[in-house]
Amino acid sequence: MKVVSVVGARPEFIQAAPVSRALRPRHQEVLVHTGQHYDYQMSALFFQELGLPAPDYNLEVGSGPHGQQTGEILARMERVLMDERPDWVLVRGDTNSTLAGALAAAKLHVPVGHIEAGLRSFNRWMPEEINRIVADHVADLLFCPTPTAVSNLAAEGILQGVHLVGDVMYEAILHNLSLAEARSQVLARLGLVPHGYLLLTVHRAENTDIWENLRAILAALDRLEEPVIFLVHPRTRKRLREMGWQPGPAVHMVEPQGYFDTLMLEKNARLLLTDSGGMQKEVYCLG
Ligand code: UD1
Ligand code: UDP
């Protein structure tokens, strides 16, 4: 079978690797990068580290408001699907790339598989909630990470094509943890000792675009005395610059890190402070 696999944002690259490894020996995978994330540290770095095959297409949509970004992916994706005529389209997660990939396929009557199906925050203010609900409702195969995800789908009347398969981000950890332990120098590079620092990420729209929410997070951060390693997402860096915020002495702002370094930072942190869906899961998996 020919499967078009859609990726666009950081966690999707990390999730793509275990799936590609399983898929490629038996099927033809055409990898489409929408270009939603494009900085070296948000994109190419993960292809290198994880040994992901180079994308067959890069739609190069870049950043923009939701309608524009989603619409551009939809239009460009449609052309790829008309040329490639795949048997399946595979999307993952809940980004604008997920939504547009799923819609483009469904409109062309190409069956859609959704990895990480059935997750819900029950908060429709979040762009991700809209993306995952729509993707699930146009999907033909729904790969659920947990029994809760299966029951969330059942509550919305989705009973066909639902499979409880476990979590591909967990599989990514299983595959990469020993490599990360062998290769990562991040603790030495940042002068850290295990359990001697807190790890922080913030990038969710409701935490960065609503200034009073971001200010409240920063005010709390300023009260911390333990060293904080702040992995600054480009979206957040932009907001902090606009605000003119300067970190206090305990806060060490660093660029987004690679996956191996991030796993090691998570494993050795005393505490993770985050709004990242993926990182919440990872620290749980890492114990
Ligand atoms: C997106 C996903 C979010 C996911 C996150 C993973 C949507 C709606 N949101 O959020 O679910 O958790 O990716 O990290 O799809 N930017 C750069 N360089 C880049 C990428 C982004 O500078 O390589 C900046 C741009 O100013 C851009 C902003 O970050 O406007 C936001 O990027 P975007 O992809 O729209 O949303 P994320 O916050 O990354
Ligand atoms: N991650 C990374 N470098 C960083 C921050 C996160 O490699 O500087 C990884 C992290 O280990 C996890 C994924 O990116 O696998 C989570 O992505 P993100 O927080 O951007 O999105 P979310 O999971 O919230 O959708």
Side-chain angles (χ1 to χ4, degrees):
M1 279 195 309
K2 187 196 262 193
V3 180
V4 162
S5 221
V6 183
V7 294
R10 176 166 64 187
E12 293 166 338
F13 310 138
I14 293 164
Q15 290 169 22
V19 177
S20 281
R21 262 195 307 277
L23 197 62
R24 289 203 174 214
R26 281 194 272 167
H27 301 286
Q28 183 191 353
E29 184 183 38
V30 176
L31 189 62
V32 178
H33 186 331
T34 65
Q36 178 172 347
H37 284 178
Y38 45 85
D39 287 348
Y40 173 77
Q41 270 140 314
M42 297 297 288
S43 172
L45 173 56
F46 298 99
F47 284 79
Q48 289 167 8
E49 266 194 326
L50 299 171
L52 262 177
D56 298 283
Y57 294 86
N58 190 325
L59 307 182
E60 296 184 340
V61 294
S63 302
H66 287 276
Q68 182 191 315
Q69 189 178 55
T70 310
E72 286 290 340
I73 301 171
L74 185 57
R76 295 178 199 192
M77 196 64 209
E78 185 173 65
R79 282 197 291 274
V80 171
L81 296 181
M82 287 168 81
D83 288 345
E84 291 287 343
R85 302 187 168 276
D87 300 294
W88 282 89
V89 168
L90 208 48
V91 297
R92 47 209 104 224
D94 52 20
T95 66
N96 288 345
S97 297
T98 313
L99 171 65
L103 267 185
K107 290 277 181 170
L108 291 173
H109 311 295
V110 180
V112 177
H114 185 201
I115 297 173
E116 278 202 328
L119 300 184
R120 296 289 181 270
S121 63
F122 302 103
N123 175 2
R124 288 202 181 195
W125 199 92
M126 297 177 73
E128 290 83 2
E129 186 75 350
I130 307 296
N131 293 346
R132 42 176 102 96
I133 290 172
V134 177
D136 282 342
H137 281 260
V138 299
D140 301 274
L141 272 178
L142 299 103
F143 300 113
C144 294
T146 63
T148 308
V150 174
S151 36
N152 289 340
L153 292 175
E156 292 173 21
I158 303 176
L159 300 165
Q160 300 292 320
V162 177
H163 298 269
L164 176 60
V165 296
D167 197 311
V168 286
M169 288 196 93
Y170 179 58
E171 288 179 45
I173 295 178
L174 292 181
H175 186 82
N176 289 298
L177 188 59
S178 55
L179 290 173
E181 274 166 346
R183 293 186 195 169
S184 172
Q185 304 288 324
V186 71
L187 294 196
R189 179 157 51 81
L190 298 177
L192 301 170
V193 292
H195 310 295
Y197 63 94
L198 313 181
L199 184 63
L200 170 71
T201 78
V202 183
H203 76 279
R204 213 49 56 207
E206 50 276 35
N207 286 336
T208 55
D209 293 357
I210 301 176
W211 282 52
E212 56 185 329
N213 290 353
L214 184 55
R215 276 190 205 290
I217 291 168
L218 297 172
L221 188 57
D222 281 339
R223 290 200 296 274
L224 297 174
E225 287 170 5
E226 282 176 88
V228 179
I229 299 299
F230 185 0
L231 303 178
V232 192
H233 189 288
R235 167 187 210 122
T236 315
R237 186 171 291 278
K238 210 166 128 191
R239 292 280 174 263
L240 295 175
R241 211 177 282 135
E242 286 163 3
M243 251 180 183
W245 183 74
Q246 292 298 329
V251 179
H252 186 170
M253 289 171 69
V254 293
E255 292 294 308
Q257 299 293 299
Y259 181 57
F260 292 163
D261 287 344
T262 304
L263 281 181
M264 285 301 98
L265 286 169
E266 287 174 330
K267 185 160 188 262
N268 290 291
R270 191 183 74 72
L271 199 73
L272 174 68
L273 310 164
T274 195
D275 59 8
S276 161
M279 291 176 72
Q280 290 175 52
K281 281 195 296 193
E282 282 168 351
V283 294
Y284 171 74
C285 296
L286 291 167

